[in-house]
Amino acid sequence: MMQVTLLVNGEERRLSAEPLTPLLDVLRDTLHLTGAKPVCREGFCGACMVLLDGAPAVACLTPVALADGRSVETVEGLGTAETPSPVQRALEEHEAVQCGMCFPGMVVTLTHLTRPGNCAPTRDAVKAGLVGNLCRCTGYERIVDAALAVMEDGR
Amino acid sequence: MQGLAPPPVAVPRTLPEALAALSAAGDGAAPLAGGTWIMRAPIRHEAHAPAYVALGRIAELRRIDVADDEVAIGAAVTHAELAKALSPFSDLAALAAAAAGSANPAVRNAATIGGNLCARGFPAADLVPALLCLDAVVEIAEAAAPAGSRRLPVEAFLADPAATGGGRIVTRIVLKRSGLRSVHVRLPLRKAGDYPVAIVSAAIGVGGGGRVESARIAVGSVEAAPRRWTGLEGAINGERLDPARIAALAASLAPEFSGRDGVEAPGWYRVRVLPTLVGRAIAALAAAA
Amino acid sequence: MSLSAETAVRNFRRRDARDKLTGRTRYTIDRGHFGMLHAALLRSPVPSGRIVRLDIEAAARMPGVRAIVTSADAPGRAGIGIADHPLFASNVVRYRGEPIAAVAAETEAEARAALAAIGLAIEPLPAVLDMAAALAEDAPLVHPDWRDHAVLHAGGARGGNVAWEATVERGDVEAAFARRDVTLVETSLRVPRQNHVPFEPRAVVARFEDGRFHIETSTQVPWTVRNATAALLGVPAAAIRVTVPPVGGGFGLKFDWALEPFAALLARRAGRPVRLVNSREEEMQTCLFRENAEIRIRSAVTADGAVAGREAVVLMDCGAYGGEQVFLTTMTAHTLGGNYRLGAVRIVSRAVYTNTAPNGAFRACNGVYNTFALERHTDEIAAATGIAPETFRRQNVVGDGDLGATGQVFEGDVLGPMLDRMRALRDKTPVATPQDGRLWGRATTVGTWFVFTGPSAATVNMNADGSATLVTSGVEIGSGSMQQALPQIVAATLGLQPEDVVVRAADTDAAGYDVGVGGGRTTVSLGAASRAAAIEVRTRLLKVAGDMLEAAAEDLVMADGRIEIAGARGSGLTIAEVAAHAQARYGPVSGTGSFAAAGTPAMAGCCAGHFIEALDIPVFAVHDCDLAVDPGTGHVEVLAYRVVQDVGRALNPPAIFGQIQGGVVQGLGYALHEEADVGPDGGIRQASFETYRLPLAGDVVPVAIDLYEGAPSLGPLGTKGAGEVPILNVGATIACAVARATGGRVCELPLTPPRVLALLSGEAPPPAFPHIAERHADNLLPSAPRQGGGG
């Protein structure tokens, strides 16, 4: 076991874990942040996406040892029921949600993509940015519409 | 796996510390870079190494030094960092494109160039054929020789199963700047997001008459290990950058590959598409010229 | 008093979106209880074999282990049509991955370590891994004891490795094929399995308290789970309560029992809550796939393009247990036998046992590949007769008064006008043909599906605060029908806003029986039951209001949260006032409603072995696409996709558009990317997201959609189910367009780049089926009931 310090959604959390434990399991099982979903556990689906020092990371393939001392933002830190983020609000307004399992990861990726300079405001660019976020229900297009709307508002 | 203690991970800050930690951890201990390959060992039903030494906090392994005559890339540089740093240089376009197009954005933020080279048993690695066509040299450090790094051409590195392991750490990848234009063409089965079923990376020099003077062409994912396509390199010498003509040459030489059958694609398909990929590579080079 | 959709609030947004977007929704996989144990299953490593040793002694002594159960603990069998499926393998294993034992321990790692300590020895037996092997002469039988299985639904022929056989025969097909003036067209086609890949795997948390089981599970069918668990465990069904948290995707996978009985047994044995969740690999290996199928279809067509006769053999791989395929043999008559007017027809549809993981239900099950087969065959008919495919379809689609394959009489002209609407939609959404050397193809196809009606129950409690609580066993699986259509229907009936209707999550202790969420039935069956319950509430409220207002109930209207005398705005009371008065005076107001299938008739004597002989509510779809094929690599790019869908009445167009976009994309996966097949070891070769390729954002296009309203429907407010059908003819449409682009005979899906490249180079011959006999009659079990040729 190793002692690990994570800055989780702005709060310092100290815990002990086997160093190769996926960050995903630490978030869910130890910190009860169940927003990030274990779906494929091989870095393809993006349902466990978090921001690690501000950059998207698949928490399933991130050993907690490599997250030690770093900032981890999860979907829970990006917005709440009372104060959803612009990305969350846009997805809601575009009626993008179906089963919802992919959306925590979608929200994290789109939060990064819609920050200035990270993605051109075009359908193709947004779709390229979503290569690592799969959705089985929606057929994606409304998610892209929502992302473009956020970029449009942010300009 | 079962019954073994979970492996410890050391997180050193310097290369000497890492080498020391690796030899202290004993036989079978391995470096850990981005983790995107090693963390999937359970999915492949493979055992973890008994111990790991993480490289991500070692500053010198995270540097990219671009000089006029050579580029030195730290082994722990991620695909995303590499793509960004190399994007201005047309001679390094193959490597930049390989780094920018592999896997998906989050994996590119974690996966490293050293990890890509050391993930033996992963035939679809994007960076490796790009490094082959750019004539890369791999630097390896070991505790026994901390002062001087061993340097191996990438082909020799790939051919030598003992180049990694045994307390060795890949530290840098060095590319001579040839000035040739280079290109990387990959073929995923979907538009993106797959491992490519075939890759063609090429660095080609064209003389004043518009004819090929030098060519280094590498093929990835088609066979179990990436390799140079020396037959095609020789055949296009003196040819113009005519995609159809060179694709036809590639078609005549493609049978020298024995495609690997995989769940995602049969071997014949990987070979069959090579001329098309070569044609695309030549078209891209001709357009850039 | 008439009720109509005009009073329904449309375009009502779903109420679960925000929690899903902020990561707060707790699916079954996110749930836990104090003292909860973690379970794991020991699964067979071989596809067929005899268990010669199963020793759990050592495993039981492993650290953290609290309970181990095996076949000795679960004596029963379950199934659909035939009770052939035990919970655990006992004596023999019939597929790789079949559960043999279950362990509960303090941690999942301890449970898995204990699995490794179970002493298991299996003597391998010959396995039949595909239908050709299963139907070969002297093939080993997957169920040598098939005669001993209890039959739950009479009428299907069974024998050997044929788990179930359904037949249709209407008219004299022999005579039609013998005519001198017909052209004979024959097409053979094959499709592999498709994996649902819901992002939430099958998962359960079970408890055993006060002599009853409480099962929280990710399911579409709480009542099936309740009843099947009881049958498998040999306990009374009343001893089981099933509740369902939000479900992270189902698509039909969760239309059957799964992990629940294991967790229930372990919870009872250990006296602790038990969690059991499939790993992704377990899901990939043992999901109840859309079945692989093999189809031969023949038609006799006259020069003017009438189908004088049609015959077909459809083989459906059910895997090691009959499951849903036994039922789905029924659907061939309506899908492969659908779409077009037929002079005479005979079809045999067989569910075949193999030593592979059981298959199951998947969105528009059976219909997806039969529509692929029928529409490709239709294009081959058009080519053989020299009639343009569009013309052939417009001439031959079923219309008002036409007979279906089983002799059902269709009502209304629907498909014909839908084809006209598709032509208009194409004109409105043109695409440029590729100018880059790629091959262009386009196609329009038609499809016939249905609403799976069946029993539903609902209760509406009218609260004194003016809100209503709707109690059903319906489950929200992501499609939104529980969140949108049902409160819309109840609100429309009661003059409330949909927001005023609380929707109770499924609980078999609280609500009456329901078949489950699937088959497009939520809006129709649960909707009809909910509407009936709301009408009862409405009647009672109006009576009370009539007393309060000194007016006749029939002179009152309920709208906008008020009950008023018709034509006199402001004359009445709020619904809350009436409900509060009623509650105080007579007791709280509630109503119950129920619904069952209408039982639409087929022609007498046409069908044998069918569960549904005619469609209560047919649903039609017309799809169209433009695509480009890369001749160098075989890649297919969809340039445009268009859908005209029969929805009866569109209560919530944005929700339906969302279902169509999502369903079409799942269909694109089936048509182009997703392939699951059985390897030589009996396992599914595509065991992870690396090799099982789901469509990505970059692989899809926005679907152009036109909703066709006004077709006849028994559904409440004229609705039909809209969520299931969008996947129906995607495989067909892509296949027809690729065939036209390449000039090749497309006979298999998915059209992956290797398959398309082989097609382009003439290296993809149509499949040959030595196990389908030349003569139709030789494809029937000897015991199958036969109809005379006269029909």
Side-chain angles (χ1 to χ4, degrees):
Chain A
M1 300 284 258
M2 75 182 277
Q3 298 301 308
V4 179
T5 304
L6 303 174
L7 190 65
V8 181
N9 296 327
E11 183 196 4
E12 192 175 287
R13 300 297 304 265
R14 292 164 191 279
L15 49 94
S16 66
E18 292 298 341
L20 229 47
T21 308
L23 174 61
L24 174 62
D25 293 343
V26 170
L27 292 173
R28 289 175 55 86
D29 299 341
T30 308
L31 302 176
H32 303 298
L33 293 167
T34 54
K37 301 299 182 205
V39 175
C40 73
R41 286 189 176 271
E42 53 181 325
F44 282 102
C45 77
C48 66
M49 200 71 76
V50 297
L51 296 176
L52 198 57
D53 289 340
V58 280
C60 64
L61 299 187
T62 305
V64 69
L66 298 190
D68 185 26
R70 300 172 73 179
S71 151
V72 181
E73 286 170 273
T74 71
V75 68
E76 289 92 342
L78 298 178
T80 65
E82 294 78 28
T83 56
S85 71
V87 164
Q88 289 162 331
R89 203 177 285 279
L91 288 164
E92 189 174 348
E93 284 167 1
H94 284 80
E95 300 190 52
V97 176
Q98 291 190 23
C99 95
M101 282 283 292
C102 72
F103 275 92
M106 286 284 178
V107 165
V108 171
T109 297
L110 292 179
T111 298
H112 181 259
L113 273 187
T114 54
R115 283 177 183 157
N118 286 343
C119 178
T122 66
R123 285 198 99 70
D124 284 351
V126 171
K127 287 185 171 186
L130 289 177
V131 153
N133 287 85
L134 278 80
C135 173
R136 188 53 158 163
C137 298
T138 69
Y140 299 104
E141 296 292 344
R142 287 183 182 178
I143 297 171
V144 178
D145 291 339
L148 291 171
V150 173
M151 291 176 176
E152 190 70 28
D153 289 349
R155 259 194 276 168
Chain B
M1 279 200 314
Q2 228 101 44
L4 295 182
V9 178
V11 189
R13 302 295 169 135
T14 68
L15 183 57
E17 280 173 30
L19 291 165
L22 200 53
S23 52
D27 281 354
L32 170 68
T36 56
W37 179 255
I38 286 167
M39 290 294 281
R40 283 183 290 159
I43 286 180
R44 295 190 298 270
H45 298 281
E46 291 171 8
H48 280 304
Y52 290 102
V53 175
L55 306 182
R57 300 289 166 92
I58 301 170
E60 62 179 293
L61 300 189
R62 307 210 51 160
R63 291 168 54 106
I64 303 177
D65 297 307
V66 182
D68 287 345
D69 59 338
E70 73 171 32
V71 179
I73 303 158
V77 168
T78 67
H79 286 56
E81 292 161 347
L82 190 59
K84 196 169 173 196
L86 300 189
S87 63
F89 309 110
S90 66
D91 56 329
L92 305 172
L95 188 56
S102 72
N104 62 53
V107 168
R108 295 197 290 270
N109 285 338
T112 66
I113 184 170
N116 212 238
L117 269 173
C118 295
R120 299 287 167 93
F122 178 41
D126 262 288
L127 299 189
V128 180
L131 293 172
L132 278 168
C133 88
L134 295 175
D135 211 4
V137 169
V138 183
E139 289 189 1
I140 301 157
E142 54 190 314
S149 277
R150 198 171 152 215
R151 292 171 66 106
L152 274 178
V154 68
E155 283 169 280
F157 173 84
L158 293 173
D160 178 6
T164 59
R168 297 181 191 89
I169 293 175
V170 171
T171 54
R172 298 201 308 169
I173 291 87
V174 182
L175 310 171
K176 284 269 177 282
R177 301 204 54 188
S178 63
L180 309 184
R181 288 184 183 279
S182 70
V183 65
H184 181 81
V185 178
R186 67 201 298 274
L187 189 70
L189 288 180
R190 288 171 297 197
K191 269 193 181 172
D194 294 313
Y195 294 131
V197 293
I199 302 169
V200 171
S201 297
I204 290 181
V206 179
R211 294 183 183 274
V212 173
E213 286 185 339
S214 65
R216 293 180 61 88
I217 300 171
V219 171
S221 198
V222 172
E223 296 181 335
R227 68 170 165 102
R228 291 262 302 278
W229 193 351
T230 49
L232 184 62
E233 290 171 359
I236 70 169
N237 221 327
E239 294 285 338
R240 292 186 187 282
L241 286 184
D242 173 354
R245 164 79 184 144
I246 294 181
L249 288 171
S252 67
L253 296 169
E256 73 177 70
F257 286 89
S258 169
R260 68 184 169 95
D261 283 327
V263 173
E264 70 284 16
W268 68 263
Y269 179 77
R270 300 175 197 274
V271 177
R272 189 82 63 87
V273 297
L274 278 177
T276 299
L277 300 193
V278 168
R280 286 181 188 176
I282 299 300
L285 289 170
Chain C
M1 172 118 231
S2 75
L3 293 162
S4 73
E6 272 69 53
T7 59
V9 172
R10 289 163 57 111
N11 307 349
F12 173 54
R13 278 196 196 157
R14 55 194 302 156
R15 52 189 77 179
D16 57 350
R18 187 160 296 183
D19 271 17
K20 286 178 171 177
L21 287 164
T22 53
R24 264 65 172 187
T25 300
R26 290 172 65 234
Y27 302 87
T28 302
I29 57 163
D30 300 321
R31 291 184 179 235
H33 296 280
F34 190 73
M36 185 173 75
L37 302 174
H38 298 263
L41 297 179
L42 178 68
R43 293 176 179 275
S44 171
V46 298
S48 177
R50 184 169 308 285
I51 299 173
V52 292
R53 178 169 164 261
L54 177 62
D55 182 355
I56 60 172
E57 294 271 316
R61 291 193 303 270
M62 293 281 285
V65 172
R66 298 291 173 256
I68 303 183
V69 291
T70 65
S71 64
D73 302 290
R77 286 176 181 244
I80 298 170
I82 327 157
D84 62 358
H85 199 161
L87 185 60
F88 291 104
S90 62
N91 302 321
V92 297
V93 294
R94 296 187 178 85
Y95 71 94
R96 187 185 158 101
E98 181 163 21
I100 295 170
V103 176
E106 296 289 342
T107 68
E108 194 181 329
E110 287 172 337
R112 295 206 176 273
L115 293 186
I118 292 176
L120 174 68
I122 299 179
E123 178 187 300
L125 292 172
V128 288
L129 298 182
D130 58 33
M131 293 191 286
L135 295 178
E137 226 170 299
D138 302 326
L141 295 186
V142 179
H143 293 263
D145 55 347
W146 63 270
R147 286 184 181 83
D148 302 336
H149 297 328
V151 174
L152 308 174
H153 180 99
R158 302 160 58 225
N161 283 329
V162 177
W164 193 270
E165 184 175 283
T167 53
V168 181
E169 185 154 356
R170 175 172 67 70
D172 190 341
V173 177
E174 291 292 344
F177 275 79
R179 277 167 62 166
R180 285 161 173 266
D181 63 336
V182 296
T183 304
L184 300 185
V185 180
E186 175 176 323
T187 315
S188 292
L189 310 100
R190 173 161 51 204
V191 291
R193 299 181 187 209
Q194 184 182 20
N195 194 320
H196 318 71
V197 199
F199 274 23
E200 184 187 31
R202 285 167 293 176
V204 57
V205 180
R207 284 172 280 176
F208 185 73
E209 290 166 355
D210 298 329
R212 296 184 77 222
F213 298 91
H214 178 188
I215 294 172
E216 282 180 286
T217 182
S218 184
T219 189
Q220 298 170 238
V221 286
W223 281 87
T224 301
V225 169
R226 173 186 183 268
N227 296 342
T229 301
L232 291 161
L233 270 53
V235 302
I240 296 168
R241 174 189 178 201
V242 178
T243 59
V244 187
V247 174
F251 316 119
L253 170 60
K254 299 170 184 172
F255 206 75
D256 206 347
W257 63 276
L259 301 178
E260 298 89 354
F262 303 108
L265 272 179
L266 289 166
R268 185 174 67 183
R269 176 69 47 86
R272 302 256 298 264
V274 172
R275 174 184 196 262
L276 178 56
V277 178
N278 265 347
S279 71
R280 184 52 57 180
E281 185 180 4
E282 288 176 300
E283 283 289 273
M284 299 307 286
Q285 287 290 348
T286 70
C287 94
L288 305 170
F289 302 86
R290 184 192 303 287
E291 65 276 15
N292 48 307
E294 292 163 346
I295 300 158
R296 187 188 68 196
I297 176 168
R298 290 169 167 163
S299 297
V301 189
T302 64
D304 58 354
V307 183
R310 172 161 291 165
E311 67 175 32
V313 179
V314 175
L315 304 180
M316 308 160 60
D317 187 345
C318 57
Y321 298 101
E324 191 76 28
Q325 275 62 45
V326 168
F327 171 87
L328 291 176
T329 55
T330 285
M331 291 311 299
T332 296
H334 308 298
T335 54
L336 197 74
N339 292 359
Y340 304 106
R341 283 190 304 276
L342 303 173
V345 56
R346 62 184 179 198
I347 298 173
V348 57
S349 190
R350 313 175 102 181
V352 179
Y353 285 127
T354 58
N355 289 115
T356 64
N359 288 317
F362 190 146
R363 201 176 197 169
C365 11
N366 168 292
V368 164
Y369 56 77
N370 274 333
T371 303
F372 157 63
L374 176 58
E375 291 301 283
R376 275 285 302 120
H377 181 65
T378 299
D379 270 9
E380 296 200 340
I381 290 174
T385 54
I387 301 171
E390 282 68 28
T391 312
F392 182 90
R393 287 186 170 84
R394 190 67 184 83
Q395 272 178 18
N396 284 285
V397 290
V398 290
D400 191 39
D402 286 337
L403 291 186
T406 65
Q408 153 171 33
V409 181
F410 282 102
E411 248 186 278
D413 281 320
V414 184
L415 268 175
M418 286 174 70
L419 278 167
D420 299 338
R421 288 266 286 269
M422 177 57 82
R423 185 174 298 185
L425 183 60
R426 272 192 68 81
D427 290 344
K428 268 199 297 190
T429 54
V431 288
T433 54
Q435 302 295 322
D436 52 5
R438 287 185 301 167
L439 310 165
W440 172 71
R442 62 154 301 255
T444 304
T445 68
V446 300
T448 304
W449 191 239
F450 79 132
V451 176
F452 179 36
T453 49
S456 282
T459 300
V460 171
N461 296 322
M462 187 69 222
N463 305 311
D465 56 12
S467 67
T469 306
L470 173 64
V471 184
T472 72
S473 292
V475 174
E476 177 51 56
I477 60 171
S479 65
S481 22
M482 290 301 297
Q483 304 283 340
Q484 294 172 305
L486 293 197
Q488 282 178 289
I489 288 168
V490 170
T493 311
L494 294 177
L496 300 173
Q497 294 299 307
E499 292 85 341
D500 299 328
V501 180
V502 176
V503 180
R504 169 79 153 91
D507 180 346
T508 56
D509 274 7
Y513 177 79
D514 186 74
V515 174
V517 168
R521 64 183 301 283
T522 308
T523 302
V524 170
S525 301
L526 278 162
S530 301
R531 180 161 169 256
I535 287 171
E536 191 177 327
V537 168
R538 177 189 175 93
T539 304
R540 296 184 59 189
L541 287 176
L542 287 176
K543 185 165 186 321
V544 172
D547 292 346
M548 293 170 76
L549 294 168
E550 300 184 342
E554 22 331 334
D555 294 336
L556 301 176
V557 292
M558 283 178 96
D560 303 325
R562 297 180 63 82
I563 301 180
E564 307 200 299
I565 297 166
R569 242 178 192 290
S571 61
L573 300 157
T574 66
I575 290 174
E577 286 168 330
V578 178
H581 179 78
Q583 176 172 304
R585 184 79 178 73
Y586 308 106
V589 176
S590 66
T592 59
S594 55
F595 177 83
T600 302
M603 190 180 284
C606 275
C607 311
H610 282 68
F611 290 68
I612 297 172
E613 297 199 346
L615 306 178
D616 283 340
I617 306 178
V619 180
F620 299 104
V622 177
H623 286 208
D624 178 284
C625 80
D626 287 77
L627 52 76
V629 176
D630 187 327
T633 65
H635 280 67
V636 175
E637 183 186 5
V638 177
L639 303 172
Y641 203 93
R642 308 172 186 90
V643 171
V644 177
Q645 186 171 316
D646 160 30
V647 294
R649 175 143 225 159
L651 217 45
N652 201 328
I656 295 174
F657 294 158
Q659 287 299 302
I660 292 177
Q661 176 73 33
V664 165
V665 167
Q666 276 184 352
L668 291 176
Y670 186 67
L672 294 170
H673 307 292
E674 298 175 30
E675 189 154 30
D677 50 30
V678 176
D681 63 358
I684 299 294
R685 295 164 72 226
Q686 298 79 1
S688 76
F689 277 36
E690 181 183 331
T691 46
Y692 192 81
R693 292 183 299 275
L694 300 173
L696 300 168
D699 299 311
V700 311
V701 293
V703 178
I705 299 165
D706 183 10
L707 302 183
Y708 185 88
E709 295 191 85
S713 174
L714 305 172
L717 311 179
T719 53
K720 295 186 176 186
E724 181 161 48
V725 73
I727 196 173
L728 179 69
N729 25 355
V730 186
T733 311
I734 297 293
C736 290
V738 168
R740 294 192 208 168
T742 60
R745 286 188 83 183
V746 173
C747 297
E748 295 195 55
L749 295 178
L751 290 161
T752 58
R755 186 162 283 130
V756 173
L757 202 59
L759 196 68
L760 281 162
S761 58
E763 293 161 287
F769 299 131
H771 50 298
I772 297 182
E774 174 59 25
R775 261 170 32 96
H776 185 81
D778 294 338
N779 292 296
L780 306 182
L781 285 169
S783 60
R786 299 287 166 76
Q787 284 80 41

